């Protein structure tokens, strides 16, 4: 996961359809157009049923799980108590304290103090803090109770009437006769279950358990643990788990979320990240002065949960490691998915971009990785195989693939370390496929260098990541057609179109037809991210959304599920006609912007291609000719320049000129005054979501790119390694001619590109399901016009039935699934009249899978 960046018809021309395709994907009508409103476009698909294209592996599509958007604690991990071991810390999140989610509570007449301590009385060295309750009672346990109540996650602890919830706590007391503990579930003053009573005995840590049965349904419950009498009682690992976890496992997974993932029938499960893997310190957990912000290291996450240390999550919260490597392996096995773990390579990414130069530490991580393979696959007589068996799984998990690193922006430093991992793994475990990566983007200098290193070293598989606009996915269906068939295979480990509307899912579906067509190159693919809590989402899009009481699949979930449940065994050769391209010159106004930088601009001039003046501003007056489009930053005319002085503000776009401008030159002077990055020069500006900009000194002044924004989602068109110096004035020129753009910096040509890729809205692929004898014709129609399509299956002799099974996703392009309304869901039907050649009209804005039985 990246931290941040990114029609004419045959016969009857309906020019507005393709000309407005981008707008249809971005600003859509509230309802899907009826078929009668737009004339159908005519297409053809020719299939050769006797041909055999690339085989498709069972593991082709899978899921990528990362603890982003509170996907683990408060999400897939079914624990209902937040901050159960009092380990929250400002290092995890500035708003946190050790008593976050806890509040003192007492019955009438009871008093006491509650404080979190870290001393020699702790539960163990890896679980350092605990709650100390000093009770100020009379010694009569029935005279009143004092303690704490936990608010759970978000609105509160969710329980369902009739369901059982397993409580546990570690406790010790200084009272010889013991200290009675009262455990209650309530919503305000309303009891949600009959109280549970246990008595803590002895001044050493002991685990106490019990079960609460909910008699009322609530999404805002509180768990109260109170003690009676006097003296001191210590508590740690206060836990409440639904009995009804996925497959009924203790320390298990939230059932509805686990089932939605399982329903995808994923071929693999990639975990645990993502940015969790390669950010922070790579040192081991070493008490007492351990680094809270550590890369995810698997040995911290196995063994008894009360002995697993905590870590600061890269995404701004705490992670308990209750959901650890053992649980990941077990879940992968439960859903029939290949486990695909990712380990740190000692080069940080996700904006940190630092290589750790410590040979001894590198060797320790390499040994940890070898031990991980032993933990997964070793016999019970081996040290780590024995550990796995002690946790309840004597049988090996059967690990076959392992990835080293994630989105490193330092390709040479990464690859030097990757090589050491690869050598050690292949020497001891030659059957393991060791996967490398190509950085955080679909192109650019890091991508090109990483791929060169991977090709030269004959790496087996390379992980690619990219998040782009719907336009990009429609334009790049042929991306893998030209990949070297003799080179490394591709693992598309993270990809998504940047929103959760149906238009995004349509673009992704269109792109997936290209993935399947290239199944000999693209061996694995997973959409990302997988899960998001609606109350704590750091990233959009996401496949599955949830709150405390319910969960639902996005439009992209339904698309992924349709593809993943209907993969097929091999590609069948097919051809389709395309949509004639309608295009014009790049048009739009000009703009200036900054990102975490203060900058000054001067002498802005726009001239037409024949030299006529269109606009000029030397800022000798005011800024009345400029529109503060983004509404952010602090812009003012100062000393004859236009200055944005807020060095913390992001995307401060101001614009000037006419949206109809085309074929022009933009010239200006730009000076970075302070801040983290450089400056941004915009052109072809239609509005704040649709523009081009030249981002000089972006990403912490490490990269310079031209980005194209469509509907607010950006894609990279060209990249250079240029950095920007503070206090230096740069001469900038952007030359726009038709759809070609040439850029100049200080009089020298910096780069050029032609933005002429066609966003093809009609895509298809055909696969064969050998078990059923069916052809699966998969068609995406991402446009306003229905697609009237002649389908040629190579003659009647190939067809075993005149009926086909259809599954269709259809809706308005701006449709979004919600907890109460899922407009995008599969609709199943039967098509009569299938023959060697027949016609079918695919609805506008639709994905259709047609299963046809062959002889």
């Amino acid at each position: 996961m990246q931290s941040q960046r990114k029609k004419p018809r045959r016969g009857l021309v309906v020019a507005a359809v393709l000309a407005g395709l981008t707008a249809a994907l971005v600003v859509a009508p509230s309802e899907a157009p009826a078929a009668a409103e737009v004339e159908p476009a005519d297409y053809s698909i020719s299939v050769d049923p006797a041909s055999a294209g690339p085989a498709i592996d069972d593991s082709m599509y899978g899921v990528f799980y990362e603890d982003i958007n509170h996907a683990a604690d408060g999400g897939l991990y079914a624990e209902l108590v937040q901050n159960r071991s009092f380990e929250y810390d400002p290092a995890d999140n500035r708003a946190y304290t050790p008593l976050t989610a806890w509040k003192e509570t007492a019955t009438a007449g009871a008093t006491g103090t509650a404080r979190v301590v870290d001393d020699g009385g702790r539960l163990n060295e890896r679980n350092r803090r605990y709650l100390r309750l000093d009770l100020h009672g009379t010694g009569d346990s029935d005279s009143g109770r004092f303690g704490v109540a936990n608010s759970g996650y978000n609105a509160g602890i969710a329980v369902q009437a009739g369901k059982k919830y397993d409580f546990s706590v570690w406790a010790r007391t200084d009272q010889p006769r013991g200290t009675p503990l009262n455990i209650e579930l309530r919503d305000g003053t309303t009891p949600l279950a009959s109280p549970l009573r246990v008595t803590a005995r002895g001044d050493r840590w002991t685990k106490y358990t019990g079960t609460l049965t909910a008699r009322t349904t609530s999404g805002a419950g509180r768990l109260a643990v109170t003690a009676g009498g006097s003296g001191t009682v210590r508590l740690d690992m206060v836990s409440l788990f639904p009995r009804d976890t996925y497959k009924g496992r203790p320390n298990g997974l939230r059932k509805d979320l686990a089932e939605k993932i399982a329903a995808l029938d994923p071929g693999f499960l990639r975990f645990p990240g993502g940015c969790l893997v390669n950010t922070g310190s790579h040192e081991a957990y070493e008490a007492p002065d351990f680094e809270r912000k550590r890369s995810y290291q698997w040995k911290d996450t196995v063994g008894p949960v009360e002995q697993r240390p905590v870590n600061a999550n890269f995404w701004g919260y705490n992670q308990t490691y209750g959901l650890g490597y053992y649980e990941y392996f077990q879940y992968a096995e439960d859903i029939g998915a290949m486990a695909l773990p990712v380990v740190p390579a000692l080069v940080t990414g996700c904006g940190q971009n630092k290589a750790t130069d410590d040979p001894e530490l590198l060797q320790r991580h390499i040994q940890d990785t070898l031990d991980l393979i032993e933990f997964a696959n070793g016999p019970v007589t081996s040290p780590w195989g024995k550990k796995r068996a002690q946790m309840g799984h004597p049988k090996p998990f059967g690990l076959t693939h392992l990835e080293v690193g994630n989105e490193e922006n330092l390709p040479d430093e990464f690859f030097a370390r990757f090589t050491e991992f690869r050598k050690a793994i292949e020497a001891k475990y030659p059957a393991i496929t060791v996967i490398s990566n190509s950085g955080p983007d679909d192109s650019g200098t890091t991508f090109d260098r990483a791929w060169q290193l991977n090709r030269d070293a004959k790496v087996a598989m390379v992980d690619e990541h990219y998040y782009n606009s719907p336009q990009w996915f429609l334009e790049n269906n042929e991306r893998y057609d030209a990949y070297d068939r003799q080179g490394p295979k591709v693992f598309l480990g993270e990809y998504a179109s940047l929103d959760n509307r149906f238009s995004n899912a349509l673009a992704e579906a269109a792109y997936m037809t290209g993935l399947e067509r290239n199944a000999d190159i693209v061996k694995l693919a997973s959409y990302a991210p997988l899960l998001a809590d609606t109350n704590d989402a750091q990233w959009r899009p996401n496949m599955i959304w949830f709150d405390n009481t319910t969960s639902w699949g996005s439009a992209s979930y339904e698309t992924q599920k349709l593809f993943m449940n209907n993969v097929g065994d091999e590609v069948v050769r097919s051809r389709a006609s395309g949509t004639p391209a309608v295009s014009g010159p790049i048009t739009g106004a000009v703009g200036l912007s900054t990102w975490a930088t203060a900058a000054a601009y001067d002498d802005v001039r726009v001239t037409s291609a024949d030299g006529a003046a269109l606009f000029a501003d030397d800022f000798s007056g005011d800024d009345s000719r400029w529109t503060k489009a983004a509404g952010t930053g602090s812009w003012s005319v100062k000393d004859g320049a236009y200055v944005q002085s807020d060095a913390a503000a992001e995307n401060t776009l101001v614009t000037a000129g006419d949206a109809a401008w085309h074929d022009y030159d933009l010239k200006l002077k730009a000076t970075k005054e302070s801040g983290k990055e450089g400056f941004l020069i915009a052109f072809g500006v239609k509005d704040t979501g649709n523009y081009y900009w030249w981002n000089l000194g972006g990403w912490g002044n490490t990269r310079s790119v031209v980005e194209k924004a469509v509907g607010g989602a950006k894609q990279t068109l060209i990249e250079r390694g240029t950095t920007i110096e503070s206090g230096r004035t740069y001469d900038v020129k952007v030359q726009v001619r038709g759809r070609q753009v040439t850029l100049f910096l200080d009089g020298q040509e910096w780069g050029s590109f032609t933005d002429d890729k066609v966003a093809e809205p009609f895509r298809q692929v055909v696969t064969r399901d050998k078990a059923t004898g069916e052809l699966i014709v998969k068609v995406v129609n991402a446009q306003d016009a229905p697609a009237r399509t002649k389908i040629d299956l190579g003659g009647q002799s190939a067809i075993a039935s005149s009926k086909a099974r259809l599954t269709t996703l259809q809706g308005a392009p701006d449709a979004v699934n919600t907890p109460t309304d899922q407009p995008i869901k599969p609709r199943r039907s039967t098509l009569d009249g299938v023959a060697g050649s027949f016609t079918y009209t695919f609805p506008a804005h639709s994905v259709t899978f047609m299963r046809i039985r062959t002889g």
Side-chain angles (χ1 to χ4, degrees), residues 278-299:
N278 67 333
T279 53
S281 168
H282 298 298
E283 296 291 343
Y285 175 89
E286 294 179 359
D289 299 320
F290 64 95
E291 171 59 62
R292 290 189 75 95
K293 296 182 178 180
R294 308 184 307 282
S295 57
Y296 196 107
Q297 300 176 43
W298 79 271
K299 288 182 179 178

Side-chain angles (χ1 to χ4, degrees), residues 159-163 165 185 190-195 212-218:
V159 297
Q160 296 180 46
K163 296 283 188 178
Y165 297 86
L185 263 176
T190 302
L192 300 177
S194 297
L212 293 160
T213 301
R215 60 192 187 202
T216 303
T217 295
S218 172

Side-chain angles (χ1 to χ4, degrees), residues 578-695:
T579 307
V582 173
S583 185
I586 292 173
T587 61
V590 299
L592 311 170
S593 188
T594 60
W595 196 292
T597 303
Y601 297 93
D602 202 357
D603 294 333
V604 179
R605 299 180 184 280
V606 183
T607 56
S608 66
D610 61 8
L614 299 176
F615 178 89
D617 198 339
D618 63 3
F619 303 104
S620 57
D622 58 25
D623 65 351
S624 59
R625 302 176 69 190
W626 294 84
T627 299
K628 295 179 175 63
T632 57
S634 180
W635 288 95
S636 63
V637 175
K638 181 179 178 182
D639 298 329
Y642 201 20
V643 179
Q644 197 295 108
S645 57
D646 184 350
E650 298 180 346
N651 190 10
T652 64
L653 182 67
V654 294
T655 61
D658 190 336
W661 279 350
H662 61 88
D663 297 292
Y664 58 79
D665 292 346
L666 165 63
K667 297 180 181 179
L668 57 90
K669 296 182 183 298
T671 307
K672 172 184 175 179
E673 295 190 336
S674 65
K676 298 178 181 178
E677 305 206 351
F679 36 78
L680 301 112
I681 314 303
F683 55 97
V685 180
K686 292 181 172 59
D687 53 49
T688 55
N690 299 276
Y691 56 85
Y692 299 80
W693 70 17
W694 187 5
N695 187 347

Side-chain angles (χ1 to χ4, degrees), residues 32-172:
E37 294 178 3
V38 179
E39 275 293 306
D42 288 327
Y43 292 93
S44 65
I45 298 175
S46 298
V47 184
D48 181 2
S51 70
I56 306 176
D57 296 345
D58 291 340
S59 56
M60 171 76 180
Y61 294 120
V63 290
F64 162 52
Y65 179 86
E66 178 180 10
D67 187 5
I68 182 175
N69 307 314
H70 286 262
D73 298 321
L76 183 61
Y77 185 50
E79 174 65 78
L80 296 174
V81 176
Q82 183 179 187
N83 191 18
R84 65 183 178 187
S85 61
F86 310 99
E87 300 288 345
Y88 275 27
D89 191 270
D92 308 330
N93 184 297
R94 285 185 293 179
Y96 284 176
T97 73
L99 280 172
T100 291
W102 294 95
K103 185 177 181 180
E104 291 184 8
T105 184
T107 60
T111 61
T113 59
R115 57 194 176 98
V116 175
V117 295
D118 179 357
D119 61 20
R122 65 179 63 88
L123 179 59
N124 58 66
E125 285 300 298
R126 295 164 70 84
N127 191 335
R128 302 188 62 78
R129 296 175 182 170
Y130 63 90
L131 180 70
R132 173 173 171 153
L133 296 179
D134 291 309
L135 309 173
H136 302 158
T138 64
D140 180 358
S141 62
D142 294 325
S143 64
R145 297 184 304 277
F146 172 82
V148 290
N150 188 268
S151 58
Y153 294 91
N154 303 318
I157 294 172
V159 297
Q160 296 180 46
K163 296 283 188 178
K164 295 182 182 298
Y165 297 86
D166 292 325
F167 170 83
S168 64
V169 63
W170 287 79
R172 57 188 294 186

